[in-house]
Amino acid sequence: MLATSLVGLTIQGLVGYRGVAFMLLVTVSILAMFLDIVPVLVSSFLSALIWDFFFIPPRFTLTVGTAEDRLLLLMYFVIAMINAALTNKIRKIEKAVKERDEKEKSVKFYNTLLNSLSHELRTPITTIIGSTDNLQSRSGKLSEEDKVELINEISVASIRLNQQVENLLNMSRLESGVFHIKKDWCDINELIYKTLQRLEPNLLRYRLAIEIPEQLPLFKLDFGLMEQVIYNLLINVTQHTPEDTLITIQADCIRDKLVLTIADNGTGFPQNEIDKVFEKFYRLKGSPTGGTGLGLSIVKGFVEAHNGRVMLENLPVRGSKFTIEIPAEKTYVNKVKNE
Amino acid sequence: MNKPSILVIDDESQIRKLLAITLQSNNFNVSEAATGKEGITSVSTHPPDLILLDLGLPDENGHHILRHLREWFTNPIMIISVQSNEEDIVKALDNGANDYLTKPFRTGELLARIRSALRNVGREPNNPVVKFQDITIDFANRIVKKDGSAIKLTATEYALLSLLAHNDGKVLTHRYLLNQVWGVAHQNESQYLRVFVAQLRKKIESDPNRPSHIITESGIGYRFIGNPSTF
């Protein structure tokens, strides 16, 4: 407002004081696009005063010389007010539309979430309830073989249920914001092999190649979270590749980053879905049951909690590769000859 | 032989029932307590050989109960905690718990841990030579042998191994290990611990990448397992 007034003062000779009125009006309109209604009304009122005081002859008084100018001032005042009010109204409508859109989007998101959840949780629960019902009420009519089968089903279902709950807990930890990471020195070799040990039964029928340089430094990371990251990535590989696939795990230090890659020579991902795999509850078309579509989004969340990033690409020949880059403090204390 | 007695302190009746059935069928005497208060009364009247303590009791904070019990009770206390609560577990271990299990746990693991904890009670602490499957440690002469041949260890490696081996089957927290081997001034310098554990594994493990004696407890510490086949 002040700037416009100053410009107005300098070019008044060129455009006349009535031209200045339009410049001031434009300024009020621009302000209305960014400010709330009260400051805009105040500035329209102020601009009217400024125009009157500095520009309308006799200048530097609040008195207005001619009847024509009095009418102009009045009209200026009314236009400025209407201008401010209308702009404000438009903004309000825009905001309401945006809010409604967002609400619709989140309703849709929660519907997907609930659908996926109720399916993934109810399937194992149904199995458990059904199997125990059978064992309880029809025990006499069941063969030993059937009983073993049912007990097996209960076992598989409860492990699956536990996996889902763990994923959900991890996700809610990430979303709650109270989540904090506890970084400590990690031996990457130890981290990778510890995770592999947990996954031994899942990886029995896969071929593994592990490439970790002897001289890799220690990195400051959250061991538990990184274990979960590698665990989820490997589980994902086993879910989307056939048995006997070769899984290559590599770790390296590139500048100040830890770079971890997990590659397979399986079938790769459909190119049009590759960007979506890290989205919450996203599941590839035709993917096997048992997943929640949470595993990879937890990977992304935990890696980002380390200020790192995770990428997925299809390999030129066959298969795909996950790459994790994490900027982390490192130490080569492991190279120092000890006492 | 007397059956070892185990007290289960857990507010969930289902868990108590499960533990009672599992333990009784494996030749343990089981008593139950649903609250911390009940548990403490029970321990003071009939001290058990081992306590299974749930950290999340409704009446009193599990850590308080643990500290209270540790004022006079010296037999093993095993913590049962809900999943993925590393900080809670570390705190409990630093407060005198011998071991931990996270819900849900497998009964095989529960029994192995209990047996291991009970084995260490009243074990001859002055036994100079102990054989751990393929590894023999002569504590008197500071000699470590693997498959019969002596291994050269540095002073720090030996200190670490002997501390771990004296606590066969027990989880030792990172902080405890650093305190004991490197001193209080170095209790936050876990990089040394990582390096020495790696070195030690290279010397005593048949496959250092898949260790059978020095086990990593993610985010918590290390556990030495003397006889992997019974664990």
Side-chain angles (χ1 to χ4, degrees):
Chain A
M1 189 57 63
L2 198 68
T4 317
S5 311
L6 285 175
V7 174
L9 276 177
T10 53
I11 62 168
Q12 201 213 147
L14 282 169
V15 295
Y17 67 89
R18 287 174 186 164
V20 174
F22 283 101
M23 285 171 62
L24 286 168
L25 269 180
V26 168
T27 313
V28 172
S29 310
I30 291 171
L31 285 175
M33 281 152 73
F34 300 102
L35 298 177
D36 270 343
I37 182 78
V38 177
V40 173
L41 286 178
V42 169
S43 60
S44 14
F45 184 71
L46 271 180
S47 71
L49 282 184
I50 290 170
W51 187 46
D52 176 13
F53 189 79
F54 290 102
F55 298 100
I56 301 176
R59 294 178 66 193
F60 308 112
T61 62
L62 285 176
T63 47
V64 179
T66 64
E68 195 190 345
D69 281 344
R70 253 176 248 151
L71 181 65
L72 273 180
L73 178 62
L74 182 71
M75 277 169 41
Y76 175 94
F77 192 71
V78 172
I79 291 170
M81 290 294 174
I82 292 174
N83 196 340
L86 280 181
T87 318
N88 193 267
K89 205 168 164 187
I90 292 170
R91 279 177 59 211
K92 267 191 184 152
I93 292 170
E94 270 178 356
K95 208 173 147 196
V97 169
K98 214 171 135 193
E99 270 171 8
R100 207 183 56 213
D101 279 358
E102 267 168 19
K103 209 171 155 193
E104 266 171 17
K105 235 167 115 187
S106 72
V107 165
K108 211 173 147 197
F109 173 76
Y110 278 100
N111 280 339
T112 328
L113 184 153
L114 287 176
N115 278 337
S116 164
L117 269 191
S118 58
H119 176 80
E120 291 308 330
L121 296 178
R122 281 206 170 123
T123 308
I125 292 173
T126 309
T127 311
I128 293 171
I129 293 180
S131 304
T132 48
D133 276 351
N134 268 315
L135 288 168
Q136 273 174 336
S137 60
R138 305 185 47 239
S139 188
K141 295 171 207 151
L142 292 170
S143 67
E144 270 314 299
E145 224 169 81
D146 286 343
K147 281 186 200 167
V148 170
E149 182 82 8
L150 285 177
I151 291 169
N152 236 344
E153 286 300 313
I154 296 175
S155 169
V156 170
S158 42
I159 288 170
R160 181 170 159 190
L161 195 55
N162 185 42
Q163 190 83 42
Q164 313 292 18
V165 170
E166 194 162 345
N167 272 336
L168 280 175
L169 285 176
N170 278 327
M171 189 39 81
S172 65
R173 265 171 87 195
L174 269 172
E175 304 243 301
S176 68
V178 292
F179 166 81
H180 61 284
I181 78 171
K182 213 176 104 230
K183 286 189 195 171
D184 202 351
W185 293 109
C186 288
D187 179 340
I188 302 304
N189 205 61
E190 189 180 20
L191 175 70
I192 289 173
Y193 280 98
K194 173 76 191 172
T195 318
L196 289 175
Q197 199 188 358
R198 273 177 65 199
L199 278 163
E200 223 162 71
N202 307 66
L203 293 170
L204 277 179
R205 292 187 184 82
Y206 287 82
R207 287 176 294 140
L208 283 176
I210 296 145
E211 294 162 21
I212 306 168
E214 187 71 25
Q215 297 297 312
L216 195 67
L218 301 176
F219 288 93
K220 229 173 196 180
L221 306 163
D222 187 311
F223 195 99
L225 294 190
M226 288 309 293
E227 199 181 330
Q228 200 61 48
V229 164
I230 300 169
Y231 183 93
N232 285 6
L233 286 177
L234 286 170
I235 280 280
N236 187 273
V237 173
T238 62
Q239 278 168 347
H240 294 282
T241 60
E243 289 178 354
D244 206 43
T245 298
L246 174 69
I247 305 174
T248 309
I249 304 172
Q250 287 174 308
D252 212 343
C253 175
I254 298 176
R255 265 164 264 137
D256 287 326
K257 286 181 181 144
L258 165 68
V259 180
L260 270 175
T261 61
I262 295 180
D264 64 74
N265 63 355
T267 41
F269 287 81
Q271 200 60 45
N272 57 335
E273 294 187 72
I274 217 158
D275 297 328
K276 296 182 189 157
V277 297
F278 294 108
E279 282 173 18
K280 242 177 293 176
F281 298 106
Y282 187 79
R283 301 186 58 194
L284 291 181
K285 292 184 180 67
S287 58
T289 54
T292 35
L294 277 176
L296 291 182
S297 54
I298 290 170
V299 166
K300 184 166 181 266
F302 283 2
V303 169
E304 283 174 356
H306 282 89
N307 295 320
R309 58 192 190 127
V310 55
M311 290 148 289
L312 169 66
E313 63 192 302
N314 278 327
L315 294 174
V317 185
R318 57 191 299 231
S320 55
K321 182 169 90 171
F322 285 98
T323 305
I324 294 170
E325 285 181 9
I326 294 178
E329 209 181 318
K330 61 175 192 275
T331 173
Y332 282 97
V333 65
N334 46 343
K335 273 194 199 168
V336 179
K337 207 71 203 136
N338 59 86
E339 78 280 15
Chain B
M1 205 182 109
N2 266 348
K3 286 182 182 178
S5 58
I6 295 178
L7 170 66
V8 177
I9 311 179
D10 196 313
D11 60 310
E12 293 287 347
S13 65
Q14 280 200 309
I15 304 280
R16 288 202 308 275
K17 196 173 282 170
L18 170 74
L19 288 171
I21 292 173
T22 311
L23 295 171
Q24 274 157 2
S25 64
N26 280 282
N27 278 321
F28 292 102
N29 270 327
V30 182
S31 48
E32 298 176 22
T35 62
K37 223 178 198 167
E38 239 180 81
I40 286 167
T41 317
S42 170
V43 176
S44 52
T45 50
H46 305 285
D49 292 313
L50 183 143
I51 297 175
L52 287 174
L53 171 67
D54 180 22
L55 272 188
L57 291 170
D59 65 326
E60 211 181 329
N61 183 311
H63 292 287
H64 289 168
I65 300 169
L66 178 63
R67 270 201 296 269
H68 189 168
L69 287 170
R70 271 292 175 246
E71 285 167 15
W72 83 95
F73 183 79
T74 53
N75 283 343
I77 300 179
M78 199 174 289
I79 294 302
I80 301 178
S81 129
V82 284
Q83 249 168 349
S84 57
N85 205 339
E86 287 164 19
E87 275 167 63
D88 234 23
I89 293 165
V90 168
K91 191 175 164 193
L93 292 170
D94 283 338
N95 278 334
N98 293 60
D99 206 342
Y100 73 96
L101 277 169
T102 50
K103 286 179 186 171
F105 45 79
R106 309 307 297 250
T107 42
E109 183 146 35
L110 168 80
L111 293 168
R113 298 280 184 85
I114 289 177
R115 289 187 183 123
S116 157
L118 288 173
R119 256 201 310 275
N120 290 341
V121 176
R123 204 182 54 184
E124 184 59 64
N126 300 320
N127 201 353
V129 182
V130 186
K131 197 167 156 40
F132 303 101
Q133 233 168 27
D134 52 339
I135 295 167
T136 312
I137 307 180
D138 177 346
F139 291 106
N141 297 302
R142 300 183 158 230
I143 295 171
V144 179
K145 285 183 180 172
K146 181 175 166 61
D147 298 320
S149 44
I151 305 170
K152 219 170 133 29
L153 294 182
T154 67
T156 311
E157 283 166 1
Y158 177 79
L160 181 60
L161 177 62
S162 107
L163 178 62
L164 285 163
H166 271 122
N167 293 280
D168 186 7
K170 190 177 165 185
V171 204
L172 302 178
T173 62
H174 294 138
R175 197 155 69 136
Y176 178 81
L177 289 165
L178 284 161
N179 260 337
Q180 296 295 310
V181 178
W182 283 270
V184 181
H186 299 281
Q187 67 174 359
N188 292 319
E189 296 178 19
S190 63
Q191 65 271 38
Y192 298 121
L193 184 57
R194 297 290 177 197
V195 172
F196 278 86
V197 165
Q199 283 173 194
L200 206 45
R201 279 175 174 160
K202 278 185 190 142
K203 293 186 182 180
I204 70 160
E205 298 282 3
S206 303
D207 181 353
N209 287 328
R210 295 175 182 81
S212 56
H213 290 294
I214 303 176
I215 306 301
T216 304
E217 297 284 333
S218 310
I220 293 167
Y222 291 96
R223 181 198 302 273
F224 184 83
I225 295 179
N227 195 347
S229 61
T230 63
F231 213 82

